[in-house]
Amino acid sequence: MSRVLLAGLCTLDVLQLVERYPADNEKVTALAQTVAAGGPATNAAATVAHLGGSAVLLTAVGRHPLAAGIHADLAQLGVHLSDLSADDPGAPPVSSIVVSAGTGNRAVVSTNGAARTLTVPDLAPLLAGAAAVQVDGHYPELATAVLTEARRRGIPTVLDAGSWKPVIPQLLPLLDVVVCSADFRPPGVAGGPPVAAYLSAHGVGWIAVSRGAEPLLRWTPGGFVAQPVPRPAVLDTLGAGDILHGALTLAVARRWPLTDAAFAEALDEAAAVASRSCAFFGTRAWMSASPAANPAADPAADPAAGA
């Protein structure tokens, strides 16, 4: 079983599915509601565990009563939680999310945990046996320490680059794989090939751009190569990028060291998982509806899965 360490944000997500967004001072009744642990690293960890990997989540949760929901969700999923703020009495970051049933679009109001100060732990036992690590750029000191130690140990490193963060320039030399959203923009750098060239110039070996329902763009020495993604009926896109990164990190762990063909396969597997999740409301329903119909869900389909 491939062991993956994921470091970053953990929130408590409260999701409401509505026929339409309410107007000012209007109340609407939700069609459905769900509550789950959220955040980029957390949703990625949930995905790793669901797909048969051993997921270790390094984050900050605390001992506020609201943290009980986070602990219960992660325990049910089989995610091993290492809480760096276990004695903090403050509430965990909470995201309030309204999803439009008609479009799959959402409105989000949240906090990002920036107010919490974390002490980086001894990473040796946490990284022992790890086949890959992923960070999301939240808690910069933690991300830097995890990537530095992983690089020292020869463990492949992955960044969920959903948006630009000030810490990213110091992380780039420590990264093997970066999959960024189309909105990811280094200061002064235009989108498209200039972003990939920027990442490559800073030492990143494997680069791709995710664009929702549009084909993934995989960077090669000859430029971008488009990889189509499945296009399911979309109910909710929340967390799809996080799920993509979780599935990709596990696929990288199972295939390391990468070749261009192996990276392309890993991207295809991850895209299949993320696309499937968009057909369900919330970030968990896709896991229990039926077995995931892709090779990443079946370790026996991957000869490196047991590594």
Side-chain angles (χ1 to χ4, degrees):
M1 180 183 293
S2 299
R3 177 182 171 92
V4 177
L5 177 70
L6 306 102
L9 183 65
C10 185
T11 64
L12 182 68
D13 289 356
V14 181
L15 296 83
Q16 308 277 357
L17 182 68
V18 298
E19 290 184 354
R20 60 177 178 81
Y21 294 145
D24 289 347
N25 300 313
E26 180 186 14
K27 294 181 180 180
V28 298
T29 300
L31 302 173
Q33 173 184 282
T34 185
V35 179
T42 301
N43 286 328
T47 302
V48 169
H50 176 68
L51 296 178
S54 174
V56 179
L57 176 62
L58 195 56
T59 187
V61 177
R63 58 182 177 85
H64 188 277
L66 287 176
I70 293 174
H71 283 275
D73 184 41
L74 296 179
Q76 183 177 14
L77 293 166
V79 174
H80 305 282
L81 173 63
S82 181
D83 184 5
L84 302 183
S85 62
D87 294 326
D88 190 333
V94 176
S95 293
S96 301
I97 304 157
V98 180
V99 178
S100 169
T103 65
N105 294 328
R106 74 267 188 186
V108 181
V109 179
S110 66
T111 53
N112 63 9
R116 283 193 163 166
T117 301
L118 305 184
T119 300
V120 177
D122 178 8
L123 294 172
L126 293 166
L127 285 169
V133 303
Q134 179 195 311
V135 302
D136 62 14
H138 292 277
Y139 306 121
E141 291 184 3
L142 177 63
T144 303
V146 167
L147 294 179
T148 299
E149 183 61 16
R151 175 57 61 90
R152 189 183 72 82
R153 292 169 174 259
I155 301 170
T157 54
V158 182
L159 172 67
D160 178 345
S163 61
W164 181 261
K165 297 177 179 64
V167 71
I168 287 178
Q170 71 187 64
L171 302 183
L172 291 180
L174 303 170
L175 288 162
D176 295 303
V177 180
V178 173
V179 176
C180 54
S181 74
D183 296 327
F184 180 84
R185 292 284 193 282
V189 178
V195 171
Y198 173 90
L199 296 173
S200 180
H202 284 77
V204 181
W206 306 98
I207 301 163
V209 178
S210 63
R211 305 183 298 161
E214 297 301 313
L216 284 161
L217 298 177
R218 186 180 85 258
W219 184 250
T220 71
F224 276 126
V225 174
Q227 293 189 208
V229 300
R231 300 176 67 95
V234 174
L235 176 61
D236 180 11
T237 60
L238 181 72
D242 308 338
I243 292 166
L244 174 78
H245 281 89
L248 177 67
T249 303
L250 181 59
V252 167
R254 291 172 172 173
R255 287 172 167 79
W256 192 259
L258 292 178
T259 63
D260 186 61
F263 186 42
E265 291 173 356
L267 288 170
D268 281 341
E269 285 189 4
V273 175
S275 295
R276 181 175 181 274
S277 74
C278 295
F280 300 87
F281 172 56
T283 55
R284 302 288 186 263
W286 67 274
M287 298 179 178
S288 57
S290 63
N294 64 85
D298 181 8
D302 182 354

